[in-house]
Amino acid sequence: MGKPTGFIEFQRQLPAERAPLQRIQDWKEFYNKNSEEKLQVQGARCMDCGIPYCHTGKIIAGSTTGCPVNNLIPEWNDLVYRGQWREALDRLHKTNNFPEFTGRVCPAPCEGSCTVGLIDSPVTIKDIEKAIVDRGFEEGWIVPEPPKTRTGKKVAVIGSGPTGLAAAAQLNKAGHTVTVYERDDRIGGLLTYGIPNMKLEKHLVQRRVDLLAAEGVNFVTNAEIGKNVPVDQLKEEFDAVILAIGATRPRELDIKGRELKGIYPAMEFLHKNTKSLLDSNLADGEYINAEGKDVIVIGGGDTGTDCVATAVRHKAKSVVQFQYREKPPETRAVSNPWPEWPKVYKLEYGHEEAKAVHGKDPREYLTLSENFVGDENGNLTGLKTVKVRWRSDDQGRLVPEEVEGSEKVYPAQLVFLAMGFAGPEQSLLDQLGIERDVRSNAKAQYGKYKTNVEGIFAAGDVRRGQSLVVWAINEGREAAREVDRFLMGSSNLP
């Protein structure tokens, strides 16, 4: 794969990102592009390793290893190295419906399991993926491909995030008539309202939605099943239904002062900001404005980073992000061997921007939130914290222990809770009579994606809990195959 000695001859080289102080002045993507020649050199670094963990998505030690959509990474790396871009695009689209999304927002577990990473820096897989699909659109290679025949079967997909869109794309290819219902005013789910523009510009989402519409997929917005669209209507009109409503119930922080004004779930902050940005370039004021305020983000992960980056663009007075765990090491720990996801310290884009503005990484590690502080009018003014250390209990489990005398009150007029999600919203599942598992997710163990209700399938975060966009696409594709088999008796979908 690639040049046999490429991983020895060439070093990993990503394109330079836009400078932090420049990019925080707008809401455009912070990525730049590598030249074609440099991309070919990076493709040449892909080894003929014989053990390409990069394209086999697995859960190891609680984290994703490799590519959940099983991208044929060594193949398209080799094709890019040889200048065969059209062929590379064909290989990429065989496994991934939306590489323009994953090439931007996926954390790239494929790179964490790259064999070159055992001895050197991994191949720039994510950058090459993005370059392939972007070139496909630029060259006009990606065009609508509606099915030649229709089966007469009708499928409803509830939710237009990556799971719902992937399922709709695949079922449409099989010739079924697909209608996607979205309760928001725009299609895309978390791709539109959960991921900020600087990571994924929304014209890219709309471009793919327009392509799917041209291929025959029907989209209905402002349609909340069980509220303004009756559940019985779905059962009467469609031969099968896929639930792809995600896991949008935010995890709460039940501490004293939670009722104070100024405390929000992270997704509410991100959703309102993106909607106002798309509606009026923030001129309507219909968003949570962090300008001039002390902002605290509780929780790590991508969502927390996105809150930091958004608050920085609002020109917040200060931004701090609390994490419960200790600061990761600079290199892999002995307990975190390849090909596991590398749990190492990394300055993400939002942290880099906050550091450029405020002079330091905004993250405070080993910090526990004790209680919110407010004024006599019920407004948030601060957050009291205490430091923790981790020790082993009698059974060898790591447990937190508060550090005496480490209490501190941080000023805050806004706090965003980015601690993950507690599962899907339950009302629609109740109305449909869907069984739940112990984590409140839709139980779909009857042939993996089938629920206990005949003709209703569940896929993505609603079934597996909060996860990555790549797992969402994987589930949408697999659920589509199960629905096709249910409708037709067999399936040729991959």
Side-chain angles (χ1 to χ4, degrees):
M1 310 302 179
K3 187 177 183 181
T5 57
F7 70 99
I8 300 172
E9 296 177 38
F10 309 121
Q11 295 298 308
R12 175 182 171 96
Q13 185 179 6
L14 286 168
E17 294 176 351
R18 296 168 62 207
L21 292 178
Q22 176 197 45
R23 68 194 192 220
I24 63 172
Q25 305 303 319
D26 58 49
W27 299 90
K28 297 178 181 178
E29 288 183 351
F30 59 86
Y31 320 100
N32 280 322
K33 294 183 178 181
N34 254 336
S35 67
E36 180 176 343
E37 293 74 23
K38 287 182 178 179
L39 287 161
Q40 288 181 262
V41 167
Q42 293 305 301
R45 296 187 70 240
C46 187
M47 301 169 67
D48 187 4
C49 63
I51 48 167
Y53 281 82
C54 60
H55 74 85
T56 305
K58 302 289 183 185
I59 301 294
I60 301 178
S63 297
T64 299
T65 294
C67 179
V69 292
N70 305 123
N71 275 337
L72 303 170
I73 294 165
E75 295 185 27
W76 42 256
N77 276 337
D78 180 57
L79 290 166
V80 166
Y81 163 61
R82 300 179 189 284
Q84 297 174 271
W85 290 84
R86 180 65 183 266
E87 292 79 1
L89 178 66
D90 291 341
R91 301 307 288 168
L92 182 53
H93 268 148
K94 279 186 176 294
T95 57
N96 189 349
N97 299 79
F98 316 121
E100 68 271 31
F101 305 155
T102 55
R104 287 171 165 84
V105 306
C106 179
C110 53
E111 294 187 14
S113 61
C114 172
T115 305
V116 181
L118 265 170
I119 56 171
D120 200 350
S121 300
V123 176
T124 59
I125 298 169
K126 181 176 173 179
D127 187 49
I128 293 172
E129 175 183 18
K130 179 167 69 75
I132 292 170
V133 67
D134 285 355
R135 180 157 181 173
F137 277 108
E138 290 164 5
E139 298 284 353
W141 297 334
I142 301 174
V143 295
E145 297 179 4
K148 294 179 181 179
T149 59
R150 291 288 178 183
T151 64
K153 301 291 185 180
K154 298 171 67 178
V155 182
V157 177
I158 307 175
S160 70
T163 297
L165 292 180
Q170 294 297 100
L171 287 166
N172 185 66
K173 287 180 181 178
H176 307 306
T177 300
V178 183
T179 301
V180 178
Y181 290 93
E182 170 55 56
R183 67 180 179 181
D184 274 318
D185 61 337
R186 290 179 173 88
I187 296 295
L190 70 84
L191 295 169
T192 295
Y193 284 134
I195 300 172
N197 274 39
M198 48 276 196
K199 282 173 65 176
L200 179 64
E201 291 191 23
K202 304 314 163 193
H203 69 89
L204 301 176
V205 179
Q206 191 59 50
R207 180 177 65 184
R208 184 61 74 167
V209 170
D210 291 343
L211 192 71
L212 292 173
E215 292 177 336
V217 177
N218 304 305
F219 292 102
V220 183
T221 56
N222 298 306
E224 186 162 4
I225 308 302
K227 289 191 176 179
N228 61 348
V229 179
V231 165
D232 291 341
Q233 178 183 328
L234 245 63
K235 293 180 178 179
E236 293 171 4
E237 292 184 7
F238 295 94
D239 300 295
V241 175
I242 294 180
L243 288 173
I245 60 175
T248 56
R249 203 152 40 95
R251 196 174 301 283
E252 263 298 342
L253 183 60
D254 187 17
I255 60 175
K256 184 180 177 181
R258 175 63 182 88
E259 75 285 353
L260 292 168
K261 290 176 283 188
I263 306 166
Y264 301 91
M267 274 300 166
E268 183 177 350
F269 177 50
L270 298 176
H271 184 291
K272 287 185 175 180
N273 189 81
T274 298
K275 178 167 171 51
S276 178
L277 185 66
L278 296 177
D279 286 349
S280 68
N281 199 29
L282 302 183
D284 59 14
E286 297 294 326
Y287 65 100
I288 302 164
N289 194 347
E291 183 176 2
K293 296 179 180 178
D294 298 297
V295 175
I296 293 176
V297 179
I298 302 178
D302 289 341
T303 300
T305 303
D306 293 339
C307 287
V308 170
T310 301
V312 168
R313 280 165 176 75
H314 285 180
K315 296 181 173 59
K317 180 181 178 182
S318 68
V319 183
V320 182
Q321 183 178 16
F322 294 148
Q323 297 200 12
Y324 198 35
R325 296 287 180 177
E326 63 185 359
K327 183 179 178 180
E330 297 288 340
T331 58
R332 283 183 186 267
V334 174
S335 59
N336 177 217
W338 177 90
E340 291 180 5
W341 172 253
K343 299 171 184 175
V344 297
Y345 176 78
K346 185 179 180 182
L347 204 63
E348 300 287 356
Y349 84 104
H351 306 138
E352 185 181 26
E353 293 165 356
K355 184 177 180 180
V357 174
H358 300 292
K360 65 185 289 290
D361 185 335
R363 289 171 286 188
E364 293 286 344
Y365 297 95
L366 297 172
T367 302
L368 173 67
S369 301
E370 284 212 317
N371 62 268
F372 297 108
V373 180
D375 62 20
E376 63 278 5
N377 297 317
N379 297 308
L380 177 73
T381 60
L383 176 58
K384 183 182 178 183
T385 67
V386 64
K387 288 292 184 180
V388 297
R389 53 177 163 245
W390 292 86
R391 62 173 182 83
S392 296
D393 64 10
D394 295 339
Q395 299 179 352
R397 297 172 302 188
L398 284 175
V399 294
E401 179 181 75
E402 294 187 10
V403 178
E404 187 177 351
S406 63
E407 295 84 359
K408 180 177 179 179
V409 176
Y410 286 82
Q413 296 82 53
L414 283 176
V415 168
F416 301 117
L417 307 179
M419 304 173 298
F421 298 88
E425 296 174 28
Q426 300 294 300
S427 59
L428 179 57
L429 302 182
D430 289 339
Q431 290 187 61
L432 291 170
I434 304 297
E435 291 181 2
R436 259 57 62 86
D437 64 18
V438 294
R439 296 182 300 157
S440 80
N441 298 324
K443 193 174 182 180
Q445 299 174 346
Y446 309 88
K448 192 171 183 182
Y449 295 97
K450 291 182 179 179
T451 68
N452 58 299
V453 180
E454 181 73 6
I456 298 182
F457 298 74
D461 289 1
V462 68
R463 186 190 79 87
R464 66 180 292 134
Q466 180 192 7
S467 193
L468 304 175
V469 167
V470 274
W471 279 119
I473 295 172
N474 168 288
E475 295 242 334
R477 290 171 63 88
E478 290 194 354
R481 186 175 65 243
E482 292 301 313
V483 170
D484 188 36
R485 184 180 291 123
F486 167 76
L487 295 174
M488 308 302 291
S490 61
S491 179
N492 292 322
L493 289 174

